[in-house]
Amino acid sequence: MVNTKLKNRQHKLIEYANGPSLEEINGKIAVPKNIGFWRTLFAYSGPGALVAVGYMDPGNWSTSITGGQNFSYLLMSVILISSLIAMLLQYMAAKLGIVTQMDLAQAIRARTSKSLGIVLWLLTEFAIMATDIAEVIGAAIALYLLFRIPLVIAVFITVFDVLLLLLLTKIGFRKIEAIVVCLILVILLVFVYQVVLSAPNWGQVITGLVPTSATFSNSRTVAGMTPLSGALGIIGATVMPHNLYLHSAISQTRKIDHSDENDVARTVKFASLDSNIQLTAAFFVNALLLITGVAVFKTGAVKDPSFFGLYQALSNTSSLSNGVLISVAKSGVLSALFAVALLASGQNSTITGTLTGQVIMEGFIHMRMPLWLRRLVTRLLSVIPVLICVVMTSGKSALDEHVALNDLMNNSQVFLAFALPFSMLPLLMMTDSAAEMGQRFKNSWWIKGFGWLSVISLTGLNMYGLAPQVAGFFGDNPTKTQTSIANVIAAVLIVIIIALLTWTIIELHRGNQRYLAQRAAKAADKATK
């Protein structure tokens, strides 16, 4: 229950929190009834956009474009599969929040011990910081490219996006949703424009949506990348753990009569539609990024896969694939639009990352701090490795600096692979449970089947790809000794992951049994009275 005395001490920067998820906006947006399908869908639209942002953040850009450059349309099917899995997981996350009135962090904490809660909180915090590193790099590079602000200063400027966040918190959550949608449209339109000009082979695009044995091959290598490593990069950059926590919280922003199952069912239905529509937009953005790598640039033209290299390639007529693109590139429009889209992507992720941080902090350890302070702390921690990278490469060539930043962004994703199973598995276990969800809202047999297939597949792929990710910390061409060290580190991490997953499963099962026993005791007590 909420500790009212502690909750009302608004003068403290850090305070106890054990109330509704994102209490300031929880259940605050009313949705009129009997207003027709489209108006109802519009009223529920918004949370899905905040979730979709995580599926098109700067971390996705390099993997998709490089995958297109190296393997043409082969990895289109990986983007499609990742998007379908994302839709399934986000549906379950939204349903959990709406039905149980708890976000995923709260639900896990309610069924597990304090010590496990702290461990899972730290894991998720590292995952958020890893995502934040990509945002810092993307936003800083965009500022440099657009305004020629030196990188070190641009990195510090990204810290002050907290002021933007403070402004947004004053205008209302519905307007935040609208701003995020507008920024998504900016990103989408930029790449639609570039791809349309490039006139891709749409037949090959559609063919690429069908996976084949070559899609996950580990024998063919192009520019140091195999189709399997490219696929793992796309999957790792697409399905992120913090999105599940975020969606389970912001799905509760609409006012619901929880005593009316039909009202709950209506909310689940329209929240799912909103999520699927927005994630479809994210799929098109990621598909357009891959098509950009194939059709906008000549094959093998992008030697520098960093954001700097992509920007320069869009203004270099010798790297572009046709005369229309070349004529537009001479005006600088293509490269400028790319930088604008990159900046929009980084700012979108800033909003959602901060909200997610508050959700997991309150849910796992029952601690709350102001959004601006939360953002300032996490951003400063994320800025440190970026600044170290910039300073260490300042005396080297521009290409070395670009590659180092790109490697830092890619290597930071190892924490996402580590943390993902600890959000997916509890989510699936709880939404499968009739005790948690009720008979009407627990997962149907086909959702349960595809859910377990997705969780096992993603966890297995992330573990399989852990060794190459760890080896990436040694550089692009690790020695045999470094590769062996990476394999040992990866093996140790996998053992730790399995041990922690076992601990989590056992505690969730015991927590569920305690919950069932408490319900049975209450029912028996009520019957005797």
Side-chain angles (χ1 to χ4, degrees):
M1 297 299 292
V2 177
N3 188 323
T4 307
K5 289 183 180 179
L6 287 170
K7 189 185 113 180
N8 289 331
R9 291 177 186 171
Q10 297 296 326
H11 62 282
K12 289 197 171 184
L13 283 178
I14 299 176
E15 54 190 10
Y16 179 80
N18 194 20
S21 183
L22 295 176
E23 190 169 3
E24 302 85 353
I25 56 177
N26 191 293
K28 295 296 190 292
I29 301 173
V31 180
K33 295 184 179 180
N34 303 317
I35 57 173
F37 175 84
W38 292 110
R39 289 180 64 191
T40 304
L41 178 59
F42 178 76
Y44 279 104
S45 295
L50 272 73
V51 170
V53 162
Y55 293 93
M56 58 180 90
D57 73 348
N60 293 70
W61 290 38
S62 179
T63 54
S64 294
I65 293 177
T66 307
Q69 269 281 288
N70 292 342
F71 305 110
S72 189
Y73 299 107
L74 182 65
L75 300 182
M76 280 290 293
S77 59
V78 177
I79 294 175
L80 177 60
I81 292 168
S82 299
S83 298
L84 292 174
I85 292 174
M87 290 178 185
L88 183 67
L89 293 172
Q90 298 300 160
Y91 158 73
M92 290 190 284
K95 184 172 66 170
L96 177 74
I98 293 164
V99 174
T100 67
Q101 302 178 66
M102 292 188 291
D103 60 55
L104 180 57
Q106 290 172 328
I108 295 172
R109 182 66 184 86
R111 301 286 176 265
T112 57
S113 63
K114 181 179 179 180
S115 54
L116 180 58
I118 292 173
V119 170
L120 295 180
W121 169 63
L122 289 173
L123 275 179
T124 314
E125 287 284 8
F126 280 124
I128 291 174
M129 286 183 210
T131 306
D132 213 27
I133 287 174
E135 294 163 19
V136 169
I137 292 172
I141 292 175
L143 290 171
Y144 169 79
L145 295 175
L146 287 170
F147 308 110
R148 295 301 165 186
I149 298 172
L151 267 180
V152 172
I153 297 174
V155 168
F156 277 112
I157 288 174
T158 66
V159 174
F160 294 100
D161 65 12
V162 68
L163 301 175
L164 172 65
L165 186 67
L166 276 176
L167 174 64
L168 291 177
T169 57
K170 302 296 182 185
I171 66 175
F173 192 72
R174 197 79 174 114
K175 293 186 178 66
I176 291 177
E177 292 173 344
I179 290 169
V180 169
V181 169
C182 290
L183 290 172
I184 288 174
L185 287 174
V186 168
I187 300 166
L188 182 62
L189 291 173
V190 165
F191 286 105
V192 165
Y193 175 71
Q194 295 193 356
V195 166
V196 167
L197 289 181
S198 69
N201 186 323
W202 292 109
Q204 291 182 14
V205 171
I206 294 170
T207 303
L209 293 172
V210 180
T212 65
S213 58
T215 306
F216 298 98
S217 168
N218 205 25
S219 56
R220 176 187 170 196
T221 302
V222 179
M225 177 188 285
T226 65
L228 177 62
S229 63
L232 289 172
I234 290 171
I235 292 169
T238 302
V239 184
M240 295 188 178
H242 65 277
N243 274 329
L244 304 179
Y245 293 99
L246 177 66
H247 205 181
S248 63
I250 60 177
S251 63
Q252 300 178 55
T253 54
R254 271 53 178 177
K255 193 175 290 184
I256 306 168
D257 179 5
H258 281 90
S259 64
D260 181 359
E261 271 200 359
N262 290 328
D263 194 34
V264 175
R266 179 181 78 142
T267 304
V268 171
K269 172 186 172 181
F270 282 99
S272 301
L273 285 171
D274 168 46
S275 173
N276 289 339
I277 289 168
Q278 303 293 352
L279 288 173
T280 299
F283 160 72
F284 280 113
V285 168
N286 287 317
L288 289 168
L289 285 165
L290 188 140
I291 295 170
T292 297
V294 182
V296 172
F297 305 110
K298 293 177 182 176
T299 302
V302 181
K303 304 298 183 186
D304 178 0
S306 71
F307 295 137
F308 294 100
L310 295 171
Y311 177 87
Q312 290 163 1
L314 285 168
S315 56
N316 181 0
T317 56
S318 65
S319 66
L320 299 175
S321 62
N322 65 47
V324 176
L325 284 169
I326 290 170
S327 61
V328 176
K330 288 177 180 177
S331 67
V333 169
L334 291 182
S335 53
L337 286 175
F338 175 84
V340 168
L342 182 59
L343 187 60
S345 176
Q347 292 313 301
N348 254 349
S349 300
T350 289
I351 298 168
T352 57
T354 304
L355 290 173
T356 308
Q358 183 175 341
V359 168
I360 65 165
M361 183 179 285
E362 290 184 17
F364 280 127
I365 61 172
H366 299 163
M367 187 173 80
R368 174 191 295 148
M369 62 174 62
L371 279 178
W372 65 267
L373 181 59
R374 161 81 207 183
R375 188 59 187 169
L376 198 59
V377 171
T378 54
R379 178 48 63 94
L380 285 172
L381 288 173
S382 302
V383 156
I384 291 169
V386 181
L387 280 176
I388 291 173
C389 184
V390 171
V391 171
M392 288 182 65
T393 57
S394 60
K396 299 182 180 179
S397 68
L399 180 60
D400 287 336
E401 183 180 64
H402 301 170
V403 170
L405 282 172
N406 203 53
D407 287 345
L408 173 62
M409 183 175 65
N410 292 335
N411 292 339
S412 68
Q413 305 303 298
V414 69
F415 293 108
L416 301 179
F418 195 96
L420 186 58
F422 299 96
S423 55
M424 290 192 302
L425 189 62
L427 174 65
L428 186 56
M429 288 180 67
M430 283 186 280
T431 52
D432 280 347
S433 169
E436 302 286 353
M437 307 295 292
Q439 286 295 335
R440 181 171 180 178
F441 297 107
K442 73 172 185 177
N443 291 334
S444 61
W445 65 268
W446 70 270
I447 290 285
K448 186 175 181 178
F450 280 113
W452 279 106
L453 178 63
S454 300
V455 168
I456 293 169
S457 299
L458 284 180
T459 303
L461 282 171
N462 275 321
M463 287 188 188
Y464 184 71
L466 205 52
Q469 284 184 308
V470 174
F473 284 91
F474 294 109
D476 291 336
N477 298 298
T479 63
K480 287 185 178 180
T481 302
Q482 290 171 336
T483 302
S484 298
I485 293 171
N487 289 335
V488 171
I489 293 172
V492 171
L493 289 175
I494 288 170
V495 170
I496 293 172
I497 290 172
I498 293 171
L500 285 177
L501 280 175
T502 304
W503 183 16
T504 304
I505 291 169
I506 292 170
E507 290 217 4
L508 284 171
H509 177 71
R510 287 175 178 172
N512 195 51
Q513 293 302 110
R514 284 195 304 270
Y515 180 62
L516 287 172
Q518 290 167 2
R519 283 182 57 182
K522 284 181 181 178
D525 186 54
K526 189 176 180 181
T528 56
K529 292 179 180 178

